[in-house]
Amino acid sequence: MSTKDAPTRAAKTLSGEPPRILVIQAPYYGEVVGGMLAGARGVLEGVGASLEVVDVAGAFEMPAALRMALGATERWDGFLMLGCVVKGETDHYDFICASVCQGAMTVASEYGAPLGFGLLTVASLDQAIARSRADQHNKGAEAAHAVLGQVTLARRWHFSHWARR
């Protein structure tokens, strides 16, 4: 779905305690990721969620950080990944994007971890800025809605596989 076609999402309501969300961000493009985090914060704080934000070196490190978080003694109700990869002149973009997407999906699927995936994969910095503005097209806000939907399902099904070792 393109950003311009993104639906307007209603505020989520969750049963139970406000969720604890771990945000794993790769702040390589600070303005972009900061804008996405602001959009996500607006959605998550709207349901009373508490956020912990950790930085990783780059997008490539996000899936491993998620896996480490799932094995940590601290527990979160959901996870949010935020980052940006801008296409350059080499194949590096393709390798990084494919690896991060597959890595995140593999970890989240294997452990049943509620994950909101906010990795922008864009052709230009202008495209990234357009998707991180404080408007209805903010991809950080979209990822926050996604993680809240996953947290809702996990609670409905009493599922917390990653908590069981």
Side-chain angles (χ1 to χ4, degrees), residues 53-110:
V53 180
V54 296
D55 290 347
V56 295
F60 189 77
E61 289 76 22
M62 291 192 317
L66 174 62
R67 177 59 189 97
M68 286 185 265
L70 291 168
T73 56
E74 190 167 355
R75 295 288 173 228
W76 297 273
D77 297 297
F79 306 88
L80 183 62
M81 290 180 159
L82 300 176
C84 177
V85 182
V86 178
K87 188 162 181 61
E89 297 176 1
T90 68
D91 293 340
H92 183 256
Y93 171 88
D94 298 317
F95 297 129
I96 293 298
C97 294
S99 296
V100 174
C101 292
Q102 185 60 55
M105 180 55 71
T106 297
V107 172
S109 296
E110 181 179 340

Side-chain angles (χ1 to χ4, degrees), residues 5 18 30 37-38 46 50 52 60 74 80 91 101 108 117-118 139-141 160:
D5 299 328
L37 179 59
S50 62
E52 180 179 345
F60 189 77
E74 190 167 355
L80 183 62
D91 293 340
C101 292
F117 188 70
K139 293 298 185 180
S160 59

